[in-house]
């Protein structure tokens, strides 16, 4: 099975109350998004796909990454997810593992655990809470939202009884505000 690691990194960071774009904010000496992108890359799945938009992340991306720019990033996360689906479908992936660029505490091991777990809809759990990354098999891609600011969590709700959970180590909290950033640093 070919599986892509997809990092959603297009949003504008509307809750961010600090200087610049939140994905470029310093988290332990590195830009916030670098942590998630590096973890997804280190998982070594068949392809690393990064969906960009509001922030210029070019300096953070490995040369091997497939970059999909979403000029419609302001229309919500679902648009970025659909751009990733279109790419993964076009190149023939059988599944994708989707994570977020603002979750620096999700390690490569979580990406690998989710990718390696049998099942068509697999979600990481951290201390019993469902959080990204989430594996979605190709036959479920048409059920992902096409508009709004929701991603795979809607599919997890709709197919809650079918979702396979994988307990993972790490910290799944996302950084949305300066206070969140201060808690990490």
């Amino acid at each position: 099975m070919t599986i892509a690691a997809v990092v959603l990194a297009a949003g504008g960071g509307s809750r961010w109350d600090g200087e610049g774009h939140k994905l470029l904010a310093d988290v332990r000496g590195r830009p916030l998004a670098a942590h998630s992108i590096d973890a997804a890359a280190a998982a070594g799945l068949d392809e690393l796909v990064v969906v960009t938009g509001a922030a210029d992340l070019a300096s953070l991306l490995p040369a091997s990454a497939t970059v999909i720019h979403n000029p419609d990033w302001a229309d919500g996360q679902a648009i970025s997810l659909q751009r990733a689906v279109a790419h993964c479908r076009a190149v023939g992936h059988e599944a994708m593992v989707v994570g977020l660029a603002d979750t620096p505490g999700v390690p490569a091991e979580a990406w690998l655990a989710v990718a390696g777990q049998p099942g068509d809809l697999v979600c990481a759990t951290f201390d019993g809470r469902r959080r990204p990354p989430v594996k979605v098999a190709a036959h479920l891609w048409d059920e992902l939202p096409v508009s709004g600011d929701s991603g795979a969590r809607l599919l997890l709700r709709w197919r809650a009884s079918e979702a396979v959970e994988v307990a993972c180590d790490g910290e799944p909290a996302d950084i949305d505000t300066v206070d969140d950033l201060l808690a990490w640093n």
Side-chain angles (χ1 to χ4, degrees):
M1 174 179 281
T2 62
I3 303 174
V6 174
V7 179
L8 299 179
S14 61
R15 292 174 288 204
W16 179 247
D17 50 356
E19 295 287 320
H21 194 284
K22 76 174 185 175
L23 293 180
L24 299 173
D26 184 88
V27 174
R28 299 182 182 161
R30 299 174 52 219
L32 169 59
H35 296 271
S36 297
I37 292 167
D38 290 351
L45 302 182
D46 295 299
E47 182 180 17
L48 171 63
V49 177
V50 181
V51 182
T52 64
D56 181 1
L57 304 177
S59 66
L60 309 181
L61 302 173
S64 61
T66 298
V67 180
I68 300 172
H69 181 72
N70 177 8
D72 302 316
W73 58 266
D75 292 338
Q77 186 182 92
I79 302 299
S80 292
L81 187 57
Q82 286 300 318
R83 292 197 188 258
V85 164
H87 170 78
C88 289
R89 188 173 274 141
V91 299
H93 289 299
E94 297 165 88
M96 62 181 180
V97 177
V98 181
L100 306 175
D102 63 356
T103 55
V106 176
E109 293 79 14
W111 288 81
L112 275 170
V114 169
Q117 182 68 34
D120 294 336
L121 183 60
V122 180
C123 184
T125 62
F126 299 87
D127 295 324
R129 296 176 301 149
R130 286 183 173 177
R131 297 283 296 159
V134 177
K135 179 173 80 173
V136 183
H139 75 89
L140 296 174
W141 293 346
D142 288 339
E143 295 183 39
L144 290 166
V146 296
S147 63
D149 203 28
S150 293
R153 74 176 159 251
L154 281 181
L155 185 57
L156 284 167
R157 256 189 243 135
W158 296 331
R159 292 183 167 263
S161 65
E162 299 168 45
V164 176
E165 295 181 349
V166 178
C168 296
D169 292 328
E171 173 50 59
D174 53 348
I175 293 182
D176 289 324
T177 66
V178 170
D179 286 342
D180 296 340
L181 179 69
L182 292 173
W184 271 96
N185 285 331

